[in-house]
Amino acid sequence: MDPLVHLPSVPLRQRTQSTEEFNAIPAHVYPCNTARRADGVMSVAGVPLTDIAERYGTPAFILDEDDFRSRCRRLAKAFGGGQRVHYASKAFISKTVCRWVAEEGLALDVASQGELQVALAADFPPERITVHGNNKSRDFLTLAVESGVELIVIDSLQEISLLSDVATSVGCEQDVLVRVTPGVHVDTHEFIATSHEDQKFGFSLASGAAYRAAMACVDAKNLSFRGLHCHVGSQVFDAAGFVLAAERLLKMWAGLLQELPREEGERLNILDLGGGYGIAYMPDQQALDVEHVAANLLEKVAEASYKVGVPRPVVNVEPGRAIAGPSMVTVYRVGTVKDVETSDRTVRRYISVDGGMSDNIRPALYQAEYDVRIANREVEGDLVHCRIVGSHCESGDILVNDLPVPNDVRPGDLLVIAATGAYCYSMSSRYNMMMRPPVVTVKDGESAVMIRRETIEDVLSLET
Ligand code: LLP
């Protein structure tokens, strides 16, 4: 019988090619204050990840506060004026994060009653909140209107009458945008593309539904129609999609202005182009250059407005991932390391860590790829073909499907996965009764618990 052989490390373009490269840290994928010290230990904002693991246990999310805040500032500056940039809180929300966002002068986008409640609990200024959702309940809308949110983005005809009714009973007028699907197809995973026809969000531009919805808002009692919204998708790298969507919306805008009475038309001045700016999860990716995107988008909006003969609107944007994503890493402890024979009689090494699909569902859901390093030391072995898996009772519990890792990675090592700040904690679950990890903030050599680890007592206390 042929001897089993370890698969050679596949020279995939985005994969590490050598042990030396594996020990290096691709700076653009990790929080800006990440370093590997002379003794081999990785640190974020001056806090060694070994200390984090010892003090708070594993798995743990580590959030670099300066990194998060600097991304807020960078976007606000790029778009000129903090009010226009909304942090899409679905990426990751906590009261502390809401406070940071408020302090950095940004606005906030919430997509559920719970997100709104967290923002309000953090005293986030409601006049800087935009509310989303394709199925907002009366309770949610009532809370939004009563707390004085700036904008509610209308997603269905049913919602127009419901919100009109709510605003009337609260006794105030509510500013609204209409969510439009401009039919722009962006190159991203189908689950996070949102601008094609035949999906649940918004009103189709092509069919005229968006136009009719806008007119219905104008007619609705106690609603003030302020503009249009679209979000073409998430993790988008070709900014042409944002421009095309803006141009299409402005054409519709011009049509509306022709029909609206002057004072109604004058209120129309917000064009919200959503979020979606792609970030680097892997060393060979480059994040969208937000300064370039912003300058280009604002210029193209000005040109398109001029072309269709409407006053240039205020541009709102709603990035989530581009702010939260790169600011966090997840630290796991390596447990079982097992060599498994594959169907072609080669061997794949399975490295199990103490978290998994409950703290990061993205690989299973979107085939998302992640960068992996060892945090407690520099490794030395030759690269072998590996799969990083979690501890869940499910074979699809894979964090990284296929990567070369030095063969001396062993139980007890700390394994770090980069760019886990967006849509990991916020999409986490308690599958297999694995408790949600803590989120630990780091800044200037100090760490603090932002969200503590869930305990079995938390869970048991929910049961009556
Ligand atoms: N605005 C609206 C209306 C949105 O629907 C979204 C994302 C955003 C802004 C923020 O998009 P971002 O800048 O973060 O790409 N769970 C998926 C992402 C779903 C995004 C849903 N909407 C993932 O893990 O990739």
XYZ file of all heavy atoms in Angstrom, residues 27-94:
524
model
N -0.113 43.707 7.668
C -0.618 44.851 8.441
C -2.002 45.310 7.992
O -2.828 45.710 8.822
C 0.366 46.005 8.345
N -2.288 45.231 6.700
C -3.560 45.778 6.212
C -4.752 44.891 6.543
O -5.891 45.274 6.294
C -3.475 46.044 4.708
C -3.279 44.809 3.879
N -2.167 44.002 3.955
C -4.073 44.236 2.945
C -2.293 42.999 3.117
N -3.438 43.113 2.481
N -4.497 43.698 7.075
C -5.594 42.796 7.408
C -5.900 42.859 8.915
O -6.989 42.516 9.355
C -5.231 41.350 6.974
C -6.321 40.357 7.335
C -4.957 41.294 5.477
N -4.916 43.300 9.693
C -5.044 43.293 11.163
C -5.313 44.708 11.681
O -5.069 45.694 10.977
C -3.752 42.716 11.777
C -3.750 41.202 11.666
C -3.455 40.579 10.458
C -4.128 40.401 12.739
C -3.511 39.197 10.329
C -4.185 39.016 12.620
C -3.885 38.426 11.421
O -3.965 37.069 11.298
N -5.799 44.830 12.919
C -5.980 46.165 13.499
C -4.668 46.948 13.419
O -3.585 46.348 13.490
C -6.352 45.867 14.955
C -6.909 44.486 14.947
C -6.190 43.751 13.858
N -4.775 48.264 13.280
C -3.583 49.055 12.967
C -2.501 48.956 14.037
O -1.326 49.143 13.757
C -3.957 50.498 12.662
S -4.783 51.318 14.022
N -2.874 48.625 15.272
C -1.855 48.568 16.324
C -1.391 47.143 16.628
O -1.012 46.831 17.750
C -2.405 49.205 17.602
C -2.770 50.660 17.390
O -1.924 51.450 16.961
N -4.017 51.022 17.638
N -1.418 46.269 15.619
C -0.985 44.883 15.833
C 0.516 44.762 15.567
O 1.033 45.357 14.628
C -1.740 43.935 14.872
O -3.138 44.163 15.029
C -1.432 42.474 15.165
N 1.201 43.996 16.413
C 2.644 43.797 16.209
C 3.029 42.420 16.721
O 2.299 41.814 17.502
C 3.420 44.873 16.976
N 4.184 41.925 16.265
C 4.747 40.723 16.877
C 6.020 41.151 17.600
O 6.909 41.746 17.001
C 5.047 39.646 15.835
C 5.327 38.289 16.499
C 5.699 37.214 15.502
N 4.619 36.698 14.676
C 3.705 35.804 15.080
N 3.716 35.355 16.305
N 2.778 35.377 14.249
N 6.065 40.891 18.904
C 7.215 41.330 19.692
C 8.433 40.444 19.401
O 8.305 39.379 18.808
C 6.889 41.246 21.191
C 5.671 42.044 21.620
C 5.522 42.075 23.121
N 5.679 40.746 23.734
C 5.297 40.439 24.977
N 4.735 41.373 25.738
N 5.486 39.230 25.463
N 9.578 40.882 19.930
C 10.813 40.124 19.693
C 10.703 38.694 20.221
O 11.280 37.764 19.659
C 11.975 40.852 20.355
N 9.918 38.495 21.294
C 9.787 37.129 21.823
C 8.746 36.307 21.055
O 8.434 35.182 21.442
C 9.433 37.160 23.324
C 8.056 37.785 23.592
O 7.396 38.244 22.621
O 7.628 37.816 24.758
N 8.205 36.872 19.980
C 7.306 36.109 19.121
C 5.832 36.285 19.450
O 4.968 35.874 18.689
N 5.532 36.911 20.592
C 4.125 37.055 20.997
C 3.481 38.222 20.233
O 4.070 39.290 20.105
C 4.035 37.300 22.529
C 2.619 37.689 22.948
C 4.503 36.063 23.294
N 2.267 37.977 19.753
C 1.550 39.060 19.060
C 0.837 39.939 20.071
O 0.304 39.452 21.073
C 0.480 38.466 18.120
C 1.025 38.024 16.780
S -0.263 37.219 15.791
C -1.244 38.626 15.286
N 0.806 41.233 19.774
C 0.073 42.148 20.654
C -0.809 43.058 19.806
O -0.525 43.285 18.626
C 1.046 42.992 21.473
O 1.784 43.821 20.610
N -1.879 43.532 20.414
C -2.724 44.541 19.759
C -2.807 45.725 20.719
O -3.111 45.533 21.906
C -4.132 44.001 19.424
C -4.957 45.061 18.697
C -4.054 42.734 18.567
N -2.501 46.895 20.217
C -2.485 48.137 21.018
C -1.625 47.953 22.284
O -1.979 48.418 23.358
C -3.903 48.571 21.380
N -0.522 47.249 22.121
C 0.412 47.082 23.233
C 0.016 46.008 24.234
O 0.720 45.803 25.226
N -1.085 45.323 24.006
C -1.516 44.273 24.945
C -1.198 42.905 24.331
O -1.728 42.570 23.261
C -3.028 44.360 25.249
C -3.427 43.300 26.274
C -3.414 45.753 25.715
N -0.313 42.125 24.974
C 0.013 40.802 24.421
C -1.226 39.902 24.410
O -1.987 39.872 25.392
C 1.059 40.245 25.401
C 1.532 41.422 26.194
C 0.426 42.423 26.214
N -1.412 39.198 23.312
C -2.606 38.342 23.210
C -2.525 37.176 24.199
O -3.548 36.623 24.598
C -2.797 37.867 21.771
C -3.102 38.997 20.773
C -3.300 38.452 19.364
C -4.329 39.815 21.204
N -1.289 36.835 24.618
C -1.142 35.807 25.663
C -1.766 36.307 26.975
O -2.409 35.542 27.700
C 0.349 35.490 25.886
O 1.074 36.730 25.879
C 0.915 34.598 24.797
N -1.578 37.592 27.271
C -2.183 38.158 28.501
C -3.703 38.129 28.423
O -4.395 37.836 29.384
C -1.760 39.627 28.703
C -0.313 39.738 29.142
O 0.363 38.687 29.163
O 0.131 40.861 29.436
N -4.203 38.473 27.232
C -5.661 38.478 27.033
C -6.207 37.080 27.295
O -7.199 36.901 28.003
C -6.010 38.901 25.584
C -5.538 40.310 25.303
C -7.473 38.674 25.267
C -6.516 41.394 25.501
N -5.537 36.086 26.705
C -6.014 34.699 26.837
C -5.993 34.272 28.295
O -6.923 33.619 28.781
C -5.150 33.779 25.990
N -4.940 34.669 28.986
C -4.827 34.265 30.390
C -5.876 34.958 31.251
O -6.521 34.345 32.100
C -3.430 34.648 30.872
C -2.998 33.876 32.087
C -1.509 34.068 32.287
O -0.735 33.704 31.376
O -1.154 34.637 33.321
N -6.058 36.227 30.984
C -6.949 37.009 31.842
C -8.426 36.787 31.552
O -9.245 36.737 32.482
C -6.597 38.483 31.625
C -7.210 39.387 32.604
C -6.440 40.688 32.674
N -7.271 41.657 33.374
C -7.114 42.947 33.301
N -6.147 43.459 32.581
N -7.915 43.749 33.956
N -8.758 36.691 30.258
C -10.182 36.638 29.902
C -10.608 35.291 29.336
O -11.775 35.079 29.038
C -10.511 37.730 28.876
C -10.084 39.109 29.323
C -8.952 39.717 28.780
C -10.803 39.803 30.304
C -8.547 40.984 29.197
C -10.404 41.068 30.721
C -9.273 41.654 30.163
O -8.868 42.892 30.576
N -9.649 34.394 29.128
C -9.978 33.095 28.548
C -10.112 33.176 27.033
O -10.031 34.259 26.433
N -10.328 32.027 26.423
C -10.524 31.950 24.967
C -11.801 31.152 24.695
O -12.208 30.377 25.559
C -9.334 31.231 24.286
O -9.129 29.975 24.948
C -8.076 32.062 24.327
N -12.437 31.331 23.555
C -12.131 32.356 22.568
C -12.505 33.739 23.086
O -13.323 33.871 24.002
C -13.002 31.969 21.374
C -14.099 31.123 21.924
C -13.562 30.467 23.147
N -11.890 34.739 22.491
C -12.215 36.124 22.863
C -12.062 37.014 21.630
O -11.162 36.792 20.813
C -11.295 36.599 23.974
N -12.957 37.970 21.524
C -12.820 39.001 20.491
C -12.011 40.152 21.095
O -12.308 40.582 22.222
C -14.191 39.564 20.090
C -15.045 38.628 19.276
C -16.044 37.866 19.869
C -14.861 38.515 17.899
C -16.840 37.016 19.121
C -15.667 37.662 17.138
C -16.654 36.908 17.750
N -11.017 40.630 20.353
C -10.195 41.752 20.824
C -10.460 42.924 19.890
O -10.261 42.809 18.674
C -8.683 41.420 20.750
C -8.391 39.978 21.191
C -7.861 42.450 21.518
C -8.838 39.629 22.557
N -10.875 44.030 20.440
C -11.245 45.200 19.629
C -10.280 46.357 19.899
O -10.159 46.824 21.039
C -12.688 45.606 19.982
C -13.242 46.928 19.485
C -13.101 47.083 17.983
C -14.717 47.057 19.866
N -9.623 46.799 18.859
C -8.666 47.901 18.945
C -9.441 49.228 18.820
O -9.881 49.603 17.730
C -7.652 47.729 17.803
C -6.587 48.816 17.762
O -6.781 49.890 18.373
O -5.556 48.583 17.093
N -9.594 49.905 19.938
C -10.424 51.122 19.963
C -9.910 52.186 18.989
O -10.692 52.801 18.260
C -10.477 51.693 21.393
C -11.274 52.977 21.471
C -11.436 53.524 22.887
O -11.173 52.793 23.859
O -11.833 54.711 22.995
N -8.596 52.403 18.988
C -8.050 53.445 18.090
C -8.325 53.112 16.637
O -8.595 53.998 15.828
C -6.527 53.556 18.254
C -6.174 54.277 19.525
O -7.065 54.968 20.076
O -5.023 54.136 19.981
N -8.219 51.827 16.331
C -8.452 51.412 14.948
C -9.896 51.728 14.552
O -10.165 52.328 13.509
C -8.165 49.904 14.811
C -8.300 49.429 13.382
O -9.446 49.302 12.917
O -7.282 49.201 12.717
N -10.834 51.339 15.415
C -12.261 51.572 15.134
C -12.527 53.076 14.976
O -13.144 53.513 14.005
C -13.102 50.995 16.281
C -14.581 51.068 16.047
C -15.287 49.954 15.599
C -15.290 52.249 16.274
C -16.663 50.021 15.377
C -16.657 52.323 16.059
C -17.349 51.208 15.610
N -12.030 53.837 15.942
C -12.285 55.288 15.891
C -11.618 55.932 14.681
O -12.181 56.842 14.065
C -11.770 55.949 17.168
C -12.647 55.719 18.400
C -12.016 56.491 19.552
N -12.678 56.325 20.818
C -13.625 57.162 21.272
N -14.032 58.175 20.552
N -14.159 56.957 22.465
N -10.417 55.473 14.349
C -9.733 56.138 13.233
C -10.458 55.850 11.917
O -10.470 56.694 11.020
C -8.257 55.746 13.168
O -8.139 54.394 12.867
N -11.091 54.676 11.813
C -11.862 54.400 10.596
C -13.118 55.288 10.517
O -13.518 55.720 9.448
C -12.239 52.920 10.511
C -11.058 52.062 10.181
C -11.332 50.590 10.241
N -10.081 49.890 10.470
C -9.206 49.575 9.527
N -9.453 49.879 8.277
N -8.073 48.969 9.829
N -13.717 55.557 11.676
C -14.855 56.495 11.701
C -14.392 57.874 11.198
O -15.026 58.484 10.338
C -15.375 56.695 13.133
S -16.208 55.272 13.840
N -13.262 58.303 11.741
C -12.763 59.647 11.398
C -12.400 59.738 9.931
O -12.668 60.729 9.264
C -11.534 59.966 12.246
C -11.881 60.436 13.642
C -10.733 61.189 14.267
N -9.660 60.318 14.679
C -9.626 59.646 15.828
N -10.612 59.772 16.703
N -8.613 58.875 16.130
N -11.770 58.655 9.453
C -11.322 58.651 8.062
C -12.520 58.776 7.118
O -12.510 59.550 6.157
C -10.590 57.325 7.806
C -9.645 57.389 6.676
C -8.899 56.097 6.527
N -8.775 55.836 5.095
C -8.334 54.700 4.587
N -7.982 53.717 5.375
N -8.251 54.555 3.279
N -13.583 58.050 7.425
C -14.770 58.100 6.573
C -15.463 59.451 6.664
O -15.897 60.012 5.662
C -15.732 56.970 6.951
C -15.408 55.660 6.243
C -15.824 54.466 7.074
C -16.074 55.620 4.869
N -15.548 59.970 7.897
C -16.207 61.272 8.075
C -15.453 62.337 7.286
O -16.053 63.182 6.622
C -16.263 61.625 9.555
N -14.123 62.268 7.342
C -13.317 63.251 6.635
C -13.467 63.069 5.121
O -13.617 64.041 4.373
C -11.850 63.074 7.043
C -10.973 64.189 6.610
C -9.643 64.188 7.346
C -8.710 65.147 6.642
N -7.373 64.598 6.455
N -13.455 61.804 4.698
C -13.542 61.536 3.264
C -14.849 62.083 2.684
O -14.864 62.631 1.587
C -13.446 60.035 3.006
N -15.925 61.941 3.421
C -17.221 62.412 2.900
C -17.478 63.856 3.291
O -18.410 64.471 2.787
C -18.357 61.493 3.356
C -18.445 60.258 2.516
C -17.790 59.102 2.895
C -19.142 60.264 1.316
C -17.840 57.959 2.100
C -19.206 59.132 0.514
C -18.547 57.975 0.906
N -16.666 64.399 4.215
C -16.778 65.806 4.561
C -18.011 66.075 5.392
O -19.109 66.220 4.856
N -17.853 66.091 6.696
C -19.020 66.372 7.555
C -19.544 65.063 8.118
O -20.070 64.231 7.371
N -19.376 64.882 9.434
C -19.724 63.628 10.079
C -21.157 63.187 9.896
O -21.434 61.992 9.838
N -22.063 64.116 9.754
C -23.486 63.752 9.703
C -23.847 62.828 8.567
O -24.806 62.097 8.639
C -24.348 64.999 9.577
C -24.470 65.791 10.845
C -25.276 65.074 11.899
O -25.583 63.895 11.783
N -25.604 65.774 12.965
N -23.074 62.887 7.513
C -23.462 62.099 6.346
C -23.085 60.639 6.484
O -23.672 59.801 5.841
C -22.773 62.665 5.113
C -23.320 64.013 4.755
C -22.446 64.615 3.708
N -23.010 65.847 3.237
C -22.374 66.661 2.418
N -21.180 66.361 1.989
N -22.945 67.767 2.033
N -22.050 60.370 7.287
C -21.622 58.976 7.421
C -22.351 58.343 8.594
O -22.243 58.786 9.727
C -20.098 58.870 7.624
C -19.693 57.409 7.805
C -19.359 59.482 6.444
N -23.122 57.316 8.292
C -23.822 56.555 9.322
C -23.051 55.265 9.536
O -22.748 54.565 8.570
C -25.239 56.175 8.854
C -26.167 57.335 8.712
N -25.934 58.380 7.865
C -27.350 57.584 9.323
C -26.938 59.240 7.959
N -27.812 58.787 8.837
N -22.764 54.917 10.771
C -22.182 53.598 11.038
C -23.333 52.595 11.020
O -24.317 52.751 11.763
C -21.469 53.602 12.397
C -21.093 52.215 12.868
C -20.254 51.408 12.114
C -21.593 51.694 14.064
C -19.924 50.121 12.528
C -21.268 50.410 14.485
C -20.432 49.629 13.706
O -20.114 48.363 14.115
N -23.227 51.569 10.162
C -24.279 50.541 10.097
C -24.078 49.584 11.269
O -23.210 48.713 11.242
C -24.205 49.801 8.761
N -24.906 49.764 12.279
C -24.636 49.093 13.553
C -24.848 47.588 13.502
O -24.427 46.875 14.401
C -25.502 49.712 14.655
O -26.869 49.436 14.414
N -25.497 47.091 12.439
C -25.680 45.627 12.343
C -24.331 44.922 12.298
O -24.239 43.756 12.647
C -26.526 45.286 11.115
C -25.845 45.506 9.792
C -26.836 45.735 8.676
C -27.302 47.184 8.700
N -28.258 47.508 7.672
N -23.282 45.626 11.844
C -21.960 44.983 11.761
C -21.478 44.575 13.153
O -20.984 43.466 13.346
C -20.956 45.928 11.102
N -21.627 45.466 14.097
C -21.310 45.161 15.503
C -21.816 46.310 16.366
O -21.429 47.444 16.155
C -19.803 44.982 15.722
C -19.450 44.860 17.181
C -19.914 43.781 17.927
C -18.694 45.829 17.812
C -19.627 43.676 19.284
C -18.397 45.736 19.176
C -18.865 44.655 19.906
N -22.658 45.996 17.304
C -23.201 47.067 18.150
C -23.044 46.729 19.629
O -23.161 45.571 20.052
C -24.689 47.351 17.798
C -25.187 48.595 18.553
C -25.581 46.147 18.059
C -26.529 49.128 18.063
N -22.755 47.754 20.384
C -22.794 47.689 21.848
C -22.989 49.141 22.280
O -22.826 50.054 21.464
C -21.486 47.135 22.412
O -20.459 48.098 22.242
